[in-house]
Amino acid sequence: MAFAITPPPQPWVPVQGGDPFPVRRIYCVGRNYAAHAREMGHDPDREPPFFFMKPADAVAMDGSALPYPPATADLHHEIELVVALSKGGANIPEDQALAHVFGYTVGLDMTRRDLQGEAKSKGRPWDTGKGFDQSAPIGALRTVAQIGHPTDARIRLTVNGESRQDGNINQMIWNVPETISYLSGLFQLQAGDLIFTGTPEGVAAVGPGDRLEGAVEGIATLSVSYNPKS
Ligand code: MN
């Protein structure tokens, strides 16, 4: 088909030892670790999960030097296990959910916390706080064939070599099958969708010149830095 303008490029994520994974949508789970819910001022009782989205082209590659984003003085890191879907569906039962998973990696749900806080206080959408350009740095995917379905793995983040977040994916309030099942009742999921599954405690600010190194141990690593002030 001929388009009126040059079509924008397909966002993608590298796959360890394989062809790149094309990204369709990025779904994110909010407050999925009790200690993080508490540090954000919420009671982590098992309320239904809630979701927000980032644009697909918010992905940023492992190893990137990123510009410090505009319009914020409080850019926060959230290190998260990321699930990639190989097939879609609606109303997927929990016991069939894992059959929809292509693989896993680690990602950063970067957050302009000042803009998110303003949105929360005024009852406005989170998009400017969560869905900005390059707000989703992400590591290379590992396939289910390579690593299975991890349920117990340390997840951690250092900033300039200093530990900031250190948890375990077994602390998630809603596990991966529950999350896929619930999300598929809200949206028709499709191959190419990514799900950021929430962050453990320890979120904090990063500034220009900072280097972030994250990992879900045994799964993936991620390293990005923010350009120094020019
Ligand atoms: Mn998050």
Side-chain angles (χ1 to χ4, degrees), residues 28-31 36 52 54 78-80 109 111 130 196-199:
C28 303
V29 188
R31 292 177 211 137
H36 171 63
F52 57 92
K54 293 176 186 269
E78 296 189 359
I79 194 74
E80 310 200 358
D109 166 17
T111 302
K130 288 290 196 178
F196 280 61
T197 59
T199 196

Side-chain angles (χ1 to χ4, degrees), residues 114-129:
D114 40 4
L115 297 190
Q116 186 201 26
E118 186 182 3
K120 283 180 183 173
S121 72
K122 294 181 176 170
R124 290 177 180 166
W126 285 10
D127 300 53
T128 59

